[in-house]
Amino acid sequence: KTAYEITYGDWSSNVCSSDLLPPPGQFSTTKLPPMRLPSSSVTMRARMSGVPPAAWVTISLIGRSGHDAWAHDGTEAEIAPQRLHVVALVLAGKVAYGEDHYSRISSPLQGRVIEVRAHLGDRVKAGDVLLVVDSPDIAQAYSEYVKEDSDLNYATRSFELAKDLYENKAMPLKDLKQAENELAKARAEFRRAKEKLLSLRVPAVELDKPLDKQKITSRFEMKSPLTGVVAERAVTPGQSVGGDPTQILFTVADLDMLQVLADVYERDLALVRDGQFAKVNVEAYPGMEFPATVAAVGDVVDPVTRTIKVRAWVNNPDHKLKPEMFARLQVEVGDAAQFIIIPREAVLEVDGRQFVYVVQAGDRYQKQEVRVSNVSPTQVRVMEGLTRGQRIVTKGAVLIKGQEIIKG
């Protein structure tokens, strides 16, 4: 008797050829001990002892389809099911800072850095000093402010004197109007000088004090606008900064909340909407999933890639995710539609065209072109080319393709 080994999951049993009907050389079924079949496909493997591994035969039990698909030439066939269940649409993207949770900081004025107080990785609060700049712009602007303050006081006294003289008929109306005009000019110039200092980040509280009590120097303290972590630093003591907004000195970000920017193709756009739950995977932590929520779907199609941007928020309390990491966003599209889902390995590609092998009568195979989209690392969604109930080769399709090449 020829010995066979039947394997089902963690259970295996040796049977003899006499237990198989019909005899060896033809494929049939064998009696298995009582077992509980799962709802998904069950795969068993059988091989004749002494036969090379290449001759292994794959047997598939299609759990709930009502059809059993058997093959004995190294392939496995399965009915293409139309499923109504939760599937995930996998989108390629990258991790990025949250839109309102980070700030790129540049110096608003020219000067020389005399002190850097924040270092890479430091946690800072809103209002904390990041660096100190010695700026001649502040000294020059303050000198102009003092001059305009003096001119304003003089113009104010001159107007009050002219007003008294006019009321006592000791000055003509023309001179009074001239004094009033000079006062208006002095006020405008003083306001301009004050606004200049405010633009250089001189505290308004300091300028509201009497002139003899003001303590304004050429030192400018650049402060953090938000609470977060110093994610980037591009400044050293002694460096000259030029007031260029494109010269980023610090990036402060709240890394507890990040976003993933992904691309969705036009054909899958109807499956994605705001508020959907998603999962984020990155290569740095294989097998780990980070929960996320779709925050927004873009309104513009990229003319080159023909994709639309999708933005999802992801919690990052342990700071494992880093901005600019490549990521996979698995959006749970739920039961929004019925899909034909097939294994990825059932789809072959030749000259940029995708196709599967449909099982015909008499164990014949017919190549059929399809169009698919990714839904998971192991499954694809059939967009065009298959209908419900068709049997396709799900394993070993490459062997049939190889035979076609040899015949050709």
Side-chain angles (χ1 to χ4, degrees), residues 269-277 294-297 331-336:
L269 184 60
L271 301 176
V272 184
R273 59 185 182 274
D274 295 357
Q276 284 178 312
F277 294 106
V294 176
V297 180
V331 181
E332 296 182 3
V333 298
D335 56 357

Side-chain angles (χ1 to χ4, degrees), residues 287-336:
M288 183 175 294
E289 296 179 337
F290 301 86
T293 304
V294 176
V297 180
D299 298 317
V300 180
V301 177
D302 188 304
V304 178
T305 63
R306 308 306 303 173
T307 60
I308 300 93
K309 288 295 182 184
V310 174
R311 178 166 55 87
W313 289 111
V314 55
N315 290 316
N316 187 38
D318 299 327
H319 295 184
K320 290 184 176 181
L321 295 177
K322 312 295 181 184
E324 301 301 324
M325 273 185 169
F326 288 111
R328 290 181 298 275
L329 181 66
Q330 300 185 37
V331 181
E332 296 182 3
V333 298
D335 56 357

Side-chain angles (χ1 to χ4, degrees), residues 15-196:
V15 297
C16 297
S17 59
S18 59
D19 298 322
L20 299 174
L21 296 174
Q26 301 181 26
F27 189 85
S28 183
T29 60
T30 182
K31 294 181 180 180
L32 298 178
M35 63 184 70
R36 184 175 180 179
L37 294 177
S39 59
S40 61
S41 297
V42 179
T43 300
M44 297 182 294
R45 296 188 180 277
R47 70 178 176 85
M48 297 177 61
S49 59
V51 177
W56 280 44
V57 178
T58 303
I59 308 169
S60 175
L61 297 180
I62 312 303
R64 299 293 183 186
S65 67
H67 294 75
D68 293 337
W70 312 108
H72 54 83
D73 55 359
T75 66
E76 176 182 333
E78 180 176 331
I79 292 179
Q82 191 170 10
R83 302 175 182 174
L84 183 63
H85 66 147
V86 175
V87 295
L89 181 65
V90 181
L91 307 177
K94 69 175 182 178
V95 181
Y97 296 117
E99 284 187 333
D100 300 321
H101 294 262
Y102 82 106
S103 177
R104 299 189 187 276
I105 307 168
S106 58
S107 175
L109 47 85
Q110 294 182 343
R112 182 176 61 86
V113 178
I114 60 177
E115 183 181 359
V116 180
R117 298 185 184 178
H119 303 278
L120 196 64
D122 287 354
R123 186 164 188 85
V124 296
K125 297 180 180 179
D128 285 356
V129 177
L130 301 178
L131 58 78
V132 180
V133 177
D134 182 23
S135 174
D137 291 346
I138 296 179
Q140 181 179 354
Y142 186 64
S143 176
E144 184 70 17
Y145 172 82
V146 174
K147 175 181 175 299
E148 297 302 335
D149 181 75
S150 176
D151 290 346
L152 176 60
N153 290 332
Y154 176 77
T156 302
R157 291 193 301 269
S158 296
F159 174 74
E160 294 296 334
L161 178 59
K163 185 178 180 181
D164 289 341
L165 291 174
Y166 176 76
E167 290 176 351
N168 293 312
K169 298 183 179 181
M171 176 180 285
L173 180 60
K174 179 185 69 173
D175 293 341
L176 175 62
K177 292 298 182 180
Q178 180 67 29
E180 186 179 2
N181 186 50
E182 293 296 329
L183 177 59
K185 289 181 179 179
R187 285 174 176 170
E189 290 299 320
F190 175 78
R191 189 180 301 111
R192 181 189 61 80
K194 184 176 181 180
E195 291 294 333
K196 176 66 174 177

Side-chain angles (χ1 to χ4, degrees), residues 7 10 12 20 34 48 59 97 115 117 126-127 175 178 210 224 252 266 303 315 319 345 360 383-384 394 396:
T7 303
D10 296 330
S12 63
L20 299 174
M48 297 177 61
I59 308 169
Y97 296 117
E115 183 181 359
R117 298 185 184 178
D175 293 341
Q178 180 67 29
S224 173
V252 178
E266 293 179 68
N315 290 316
H319 295 184
E345 62 182 305
Q360 302 292 329
M383 310 294 296
E384 293 179 3
T394 56

